[in-house]
Amino acid sequence: AADLIHTPQYIEVGRILLVTRGRAVHEINLVPFETFPGNVLIIPQNTYIRLSYLSEDYEGQMITFSQLPTGFEKCTRLNLGSEDFRRMQSYINLLWDTVHSAYERKCIEHLQTALMYDLKHMASQNRTDTTTHASRGQQLFQQFLDALGRADSLPRSVKAYSDELCVTPNHLSAVVKQQSGRSVMDWLNAQQILRAQVLLRHSDLQIGEIADRLGFQSATFFSRFFKRETGMTPKEYRAGSLTA
Protein backbone atom coordinates (compact mmCIF):
# COMPACT_ATOMS: atom_id res chain seq x y z
CA ALA A 1 0.00 0.00 0.00
CA ALA A 2 2.87 2.38 0.73
CA ASP A 3 3.95 2.22 -2.91
CA LEU A 4 0.52 3.53 -3.95
CA ILE A 5 0.76 6.74 -1.93
CA HIS A 6 1.53 9.75 -4.14
CA THR A 7 1.88 7.51 -7.23
CA PRO A 8 -0.45 8.81 -9.97
CA GLN A 9 -2.39 6.49 -12.23
CA TYR A 10 -4.55 6.92 -15.28
CA ILE A 11 -7.64 4.72 -15.12
CA GLU A 12 -9.60 3.82 -18.24
CA VAL A 13 -12.52 2.22 -16.40
CA GLY A 14 -14.90 3.64 -13.82
CA ARG A 15 -14.54 2.73 -10.16
CA ILE A 16 -16.97 2.66 -7.27
CA LEU A 17 -15.26 2.74 -3.88
CA LEU A 18 -17.15 2.08 -0.64
CA VAL A 19 -15.24 3.11 2.49
CA THR A 20 -15.88 0.82 5.46
CA ARG A 21 -13.12 1.93 7.84
CA GLY A 22 -10.45 4.62 8.24
CA ARG A 23 -9.82 7.68 6.11
CA ALA A 24 -8.32 8.35 2.68
CA VAL A 25 -7.70 11.31 0.41
CA HIS A 26 -7.85 10.68 -3.33
CA GLU A 27 -6.81 13.38 -5.78
CA ILE A 28 -9.05 13.04 -8.81
CA ASN A 29 -7.70 15.16 -11.68
CA LEU A 30 -5.79 17.15 -9.01
CA VAL A 31 -8.93 17.78 -6.90
CA PRO A 32 -8.81 16.18 -3.40
CA PHE A 33 -11.71 14.06 -2.21
CA GLU A 34 -11.53 13.08 1.45
CA THR A 35 -13.50 9.94 2.36
CA PHE A 36 -14.61 8.42 5.66
CA PRO A 37 -16.63 5.32 6.63
CA GLY A 38 -20.07 5.52 5.05
CA ASN A 39 -18.81 7.36 1.96
CA VAL A 40 -18.98 6.07 -1.58
CA LEU A 41 -16.67 7.58 -4.19
CA ILE A 42 -17.71 7.20 -7.83
CA ILE A 43 -14.73 7.80 -10.11
CA PRO A 44 -15.40 8.07 -13.86
CA GLN A 45 -13.35 6.38 -16.55
CA ASN A 46 -10.42 8.14 -18.26
CA THR A 47 -9.34 9.87 -15.06
CA TYR A 48 -6.03 10.76 -13.41
CA ILE A 49 -6.01 9.58 -9.82
CA ARG A 50 -3.50 9.82 -6.98
CA LEU A 51 -3.84 8.54 -3.43
CA SER A 52 -2.34 11.27 -1.23
CA TYR A 53 -3.29 9.88 2.19
CA LEU A 54 -4.33 6.51 3.59
CA SER A 55 -4.83 5.83 7.29
CA GLU A 56 -3.33 2.64 8.74
CA ASP A 57 -6.77 1.26 9.60
CA TYR A 58 -8.26 1.98 6.17
CA GLU A 59 -10.59 -0.61 4.64
CA GLY A 60 -12.86 -0.40 1.63
CA GLN A 61 -14.55 -2.31 -1.16
CA MET A 62 -14.19 -1.46 -4.83
CA ILE A 63 -15.74 -2.56 -8.09
CA THR A 64 -14.93 -1.40 -11.63
CA PHE A 65 -17.21 -0.59 -14.55
CA SER A 66 -16.23 -0.19 -18.18
CA GLN A 67 -18.90 2.50 -18.57
CA LEU A 68 -20.66 4.49 -15.86
CA PRO A 69 -24.13 5.89 -16.65
CA THR A 70 -24.88 9.50 -17.47
CA GLY A 71 -24.75 11.73 -14.44
CA PHE A 72 -21.39 10.40 -13.27
CA GLU A 73 -19.14 12.12 -15.81
CA LYS A 74 -17.15 13.67 -12.96
CA CYS A 75 -16.10 12.32 -9.59
CA THR A 76 -18.99 12.09 -7.13
CA ARG A 77 -18.73 11.59 -3.39
CA LEU A 78 -21.82 10.51 -1.44
CA ASN A 79 -22.32 10.25 2.29
CA LEU A 80 -24.65 7.30 2.83
CA GLY A 81 -27.05 6.67 5.66
CA SER A 82 -26.81 3.34 7.46
CA GLU A 83 -29.54 1.69 5.39
CA ASP A 84 -28.12 2.88 2.04
CA PHE A 85 -24.64 1.84 3.17
CA ARG A 86 -25.82 -1.65 4.09
CA ARG A 87 -27.59 -2.00 0.74
CA MET A 88 -24.47 -0.89 -1.16
CA GLN A 89 -22.40 -3.51 0.65
CA SER A 90 -24.99 -6.13 -0.25
CA TYR A 91 -24.81 -5.14 -3.94
CA ILE A 92 -21.01 -5.32 -3.98
CA ASN A 93 -20.88 -8.65 -2.14
CA LEU A 94 -23.52 -10.14 -4.43
CA LEU A 95 -21.69 -8.91 -7.53
CA TRP A 96 -18.44 -10.38 -6.22
CA ASP A 97 -20.06 -13.75 -5.56
CA THR A 98 -21.82 -13.74 -8.93
CA VAL A 99 -18.68 -12.88 -10.90
CA HIS A 100 -16.84 -15.79 -9.25
CA SER A 101 -19.62 -18.28 -9.86
CA ALA A 102 -21.01 -19.99 -12.93
CA TYR A 103 -23.80 -17.46 -13.50
CA GLU A 104 -24.32 -16.13 -17.03
CA ARG A 105 -23.01 -12.66 -17.88
CA LYS A 106 -26.58 -11.36 -18.28
CA CYS A 107 -27.15 -11.89 -14.57
CA ILE A 108 -24.08 -9.77 -13.75
CA GLU A 109 -25.19 -7.04 -16.16
CA HIS A 110 -28.65 -6.86 -14.55
CA LEU A 111 -27.11 -6.58 -11.08
CA GLN A 112 -24.86 -3.78 -12.32
CA THR A 113 -27.85 -1.98 -13.82
CA ALA A 114 -29.77 -2.24 -10.55
CA LEU A 115 -26.78 -0.87 -8.62
CA MET A 116 -26.42 2.04 -11.04
CA TYR A 117 -30.09 3.01 -10.74
CA ASP A 118 -29.80 2.90 -6.97
CA LEU A 119 -26.65 5.04 -7.03
CA LYS A 120 -28.30 7.61 -9.28
CA HIS A 121 -31.23 7.82 -6.87
CA MET A 122 -28.90 8.28 -3.89
CA ALA A 123 -26.89 10.88 -5.82
CA SER A 124 -30.04 12.88 -6.49
CA GLN A 125 -30.76 12.87 -2.75
CA ASN A 126 -27.28 13.56 -1.43
CA ARG A 127 -24.33 15.03 -3.31
CA THR A 128 -21.53 16.12 -0.97
CA ASP A 129 -19.14 17.27 -3.70
CA THR A 130 -21.29 20.15 -4.96
CA THR A 131 -23.19 23.01 -3.40
CA THR A 132 -26.75 23.92 -4.29
CA HIS A 133 -26.21 27.67 -4.25
CA ALA A 134 -22.74 28.04 -5.77
CA SER A 135 -21.65 31.57 -6.67
CA ARG A 136 -20.82 32.46 -10.26
CA GLY A 137 -17.13 32.37 -9.32
CA GLN A 138 -17.49 28.88 -7.82
CA GLN A 139 -19.38 27.71 -10.87
CA LEU A 140 -16.70 29.04 -13.25
CA PHE A 141 -13.94 27.48 -11.16
CA GLN A 142 -15.74 24.13 -11.24
CA GLN A 143 -16.11 24.44 -15.02
CA PHE A 144 -12.38 25.14 -15.23
CA LEU A 145 -11.63 22.00 -13.19
CA ASP A 146 -13.94 19.98 -15.43
CA ALA A 147 -12.10 21.29 -18.49
CA LEU A 148 -8.78 20.54 -16.79
CA GLY A 149 -9.89 16.93 -16.46
CA ARG A 150 -10.08 16.87 -20.26
CA ALA A 151 -6.55 18.27 -20.50
CA ASP A 152 -5.55 16.04 -23.40
CA SER A 153 -7.91 17.95 -25.69
CA LEU A 154 -6.78 21.52 -24.89
CA PRO A 155 -3.47 23.38 -25.36
CA ARG A 156 -1.64 24.34 -22.17
CA SER A 157 -2.48 28.04 -22.18
CA VAL A 158 -4.74 30.39 -20.26
CA LYS A 159 -6.36 31.58 -23.51
CA ALA A 160 -7.28 28.05 -24.58
CA TYR A 161 -9.20 27.52 -21.35
CA SER A 162 -10.78 30.98 -21.31
CA ASP A 163 -11.98 30.43 -24.90
CA GLU A 164 -13.37 27.04 -23.89
CA LEU A 165 -15.30 28.65 -21.02
CA CYS A 166 -16.33 31.76 -23.00
CA VAL A 167 -14.67 34.29 -20.66
CA THR A 168 -11.66 36.57 -21.01
CA PRO A 169 -8.22 35.30 -19.91
CA ASN A 170 -8.02 38.01 -17.26
CA HIS A 171 -11.39 37.10 -15.80
CA LEU A 172 -10.58 33.39 -15.69
CA SER A 173 -7.20 34.10 -14.08
CA ALA A 174 -8.78 36.32 -11.41
CA VAL A 175 -11.54 33.84 -10.55
CA VAL A 176 -9.24 30.80 -10.39
CA LYS A 177 -6.79 32.69 -8.18
CA GLN A 178 -9.59 33.86 -5.89
CA GLN A 179 -11.20 30.44 -5.58
CA SER A 180 -8.06 28.31 -5.17
CA GLY A 181 -5.14 30.57 -4.29
CA ARG A 182 -3.34 29.19 -7.34
CA SER A 183 -2.96 30.65 -10.82
CA VAL A 184 -4.33 29.04 -13.96
CA MET A 185 -0.77 28.20 -15.05
CA ASP A 186 -0.09 26.58 -11.68
CA TRP A 187 -3.01 24.25 -12.32
CA LEU A 188 -1.99 23.60 -15.93
CA ASN A 189 1.60 22.87 -14.93
CA ALA A 190 0.43 20.50 -12.19
CA GLN A 191 -1.74 18.65 -14.69
CA GLN A 192 1.16 18.41 -17.12
CA ILE A 193 3.40 16.99 -14.40
CA LEU A 194 0.71 14.48 -13.48
CA ARG A 195 0.47 13.28 -17.08
CA ALA A 196 4.26 13.09 -17.31
CA GLN A 197 4.56 11.07 -14.11
CA VAL A 198 1.99 8.55 -15.33
CA LEU A 199 3.84 8.08 -18.62
CA LEU A 200 7.22 7.85 -16.91
CA ARG A 201 6.03 5.25 -14.44
CA HIS A 202 3.54 3.23 -16.47
CA SER A 203 4.91 3.25 -20.02
CA ASP A 204 8.06 2.24 -21.88
CA LEU A 205 8.16 5.46 -23.91
CA GLN A 206 11.51 7.20 -24.20
CA ILE A 207 11.89 10.64 -22.59
CA GLY A 208 11.85 12.29 -26.02
CA GLU A 209 8.65 10.45 -26.96
CA ILE A 210 6.98 11.59 -23.75
CA ALA A 211 8.11 15.15 -24.36
CA ASP A 212 6.62 15.04 -27.86
CA ARG A 213 3.36 13.53 -26.64
CA LEU A 214 3.00 16.29 -24.04
CA GLY A 215 3.65 19.02 -26.60
CA PHE A 216 7.19 20.11 -25.63
CA GLN A 217 9.60 21.36 -28.29
CA SER A 218 12.30 18.93 -27.22
CA ALA A 219 13.32 16.49 -24.50
CA THR A 220 15.60 19.21 -23.10
CA PHE A 221 12.71 21.65 -22.60
CA PHE A 222 10.64 18.89 -21.02
CA SER A 223 13.44 17.85 -18.64
CA ARG A 224 13.98 21.45 -17.51
CA PHE A 225 10.26 21.92 -16.90
CA PHE A 226 9.97 18.64 -15.03
CA LYS A 227 12.95 19.38 -12.77
CA ARG A 228 11.71 22.91 -12.07
CA GLU A 229 8.34 21.58 -10.94
CA THR A 230 9.42 18.41 -9.09
CA GLY A 231 13.07 18.92 -8.12
CA MET A 232 14.23 15.90 -10.13
CA THR A 233 14.79 15.03 -13.77
CA PRO A 234 12.46 12.67 -15.65
CA LYS A 235 15.19 10.03 -15.61
CA GLU A 236 15.59 10.35 -11.84
CA TYR A 237 11.83 10.09 -11.33
CA ARG A 238 11.59 7.00 -13.53
CA ALA A 239 14.57 5.37 -11.81
CA GLY A 240 13.04 6.06 -8.41
CA SER A 241 9.71 4.61 -9.53
CA LEU A 242 11.37 1.43 -10.72
CA THR A 243 13.17 0.89 -7.42
CA ALA A 244 10.24 1.90 -5.16
Side-chain angles (χ1 to χ4, degrees):
D3 187 43
L4 295 175
I5 305 294
H6 304 303
T7 301
Q9 302 177 61
Y10 180 77
I11 60 171
E12 297 180 346
V13 295
R15 296 183 181 184
I16 296 175
L17 174 64
L18 187 70
V19 182
T20 57
R21 185 181 178 189
R23 169 178 165 263
V25 179
H26 294 81
E27 293 180 14
I28 311 298
N29 289 333
L30 299 175
V31 180
F33 287 82
E34 187 173 16
T35 54
F36 298 93
N39 288 171
V40 60
L41 193 63
I42 306 165
I43 308 171
Q45 58 268 21
N46 302 321
T47 295
Y48 288 96
I49 178 172
R50 173 163 41 204
L51 182 61
S52 59
Y53 175 80
L54 189 72
S55 65
E56 293 184 359
D57 62 340
Y58 178 84
E59 291 181 2
Q61 296 174 285
M62 184 181 70
I63 53 177
T64 62
F65 287 83
S66 58
Q67 185 74 35
L68 292 171
T70 56
F72 294 121
E73 289 81 12
K74 60 182 180 180
C75 189
T76 303
R77 179 185 54 204
L78 303 174
N79 185 30
L80 304 184
S82 57
E83 183 61 29
D84 289 338
F85 185 81
R86 182 200 61 76
R87 191 168 65 257
M88 275 293 300
Q89 281 190 304
S90 297
Y91 271 122
I92 293 175
N93 292 334
L94 183 57
L95 274 167
W96 177 265
D97 291 341
T98 305
V99 166
H100 291 84
S101 67
Y103 283 92
E104 294 184 1
R105 181 165 183 80
K106 274 293 183 184
C107 182
I108 298 172
E109 291 174 353
H110 287 316
L111 282 172
Q112 290 176 328
T113 300
L115 171 58
M116 285 299 127
Y117 273 112
D118 207 347
L119 276 173
K120 290 186 73 171
H121 173 71
M122 287 186 281
S124 68
Q125 301 294 316
N126 174 20
R127 283 185 180 268
T128 62
D129 60 329
T130 60
T131 56
T132 305
H133 303 290
S135 68
R136 294 186 66 177
Q138 290 170 327
Q139 291 174 5
L140 179 59
F141 180 56
Q142 184 59 57
Q143 291 168 354
F144 168 71
L145 293 179
D146 293 343
L148 192 66
R150 307 188 300 271
D152 292 354
S153 64
L154 290 173
R156 192 166 58 93
S157 72
V158 178
K159 189 176 187 309
Y161 282 82
S162 64
D163 288 348
E164 174 77 6
L165 301 174
C166 301
V167 295
T168 66
N170 286 341
H171 181 62
L172 178 62
S173 297
V175 169
V176 170
K177 185 71 172 179
Q178 180 187 46
Q179 293 293 323
S180 69
R182 304 169 68 183
S183 70
V184 173
M185 285 309 303
D186 285 340
W187 282 98
L188 299 187
N189 289 342
Q191 179 72 1
Q192 192 79 314
I193 289 296
L194 188 65
R195 296 171 64 197
Q197 288 174 331
V198 168
L199 291 172
L200 287 166
R201 183 174 176 88
H202 300 292
S203 80
D204 296 325
L205 293 173
Q206 298 297 314
I207 303 297
E209 293 174 311
I210 293 175
D212 184 64
R213 178 170 295 192
L214 296 179
F216 287 89
Q217 296 178 10
S218 67
T220 300
F221 278 103
F222 168 60
S223 296
R224 288 175 181 170
F225 168 78
F226 192 90
K227 185 167 185 177
R228 187 190 75 203
E229 297 293 321
T230 68
M232 65 181 74
T233 66
K235 288 183 179 179
E236 289 169 343
Y237 178 82
R238 173 170 273 177
S241 298
L242 293 174
T243 58

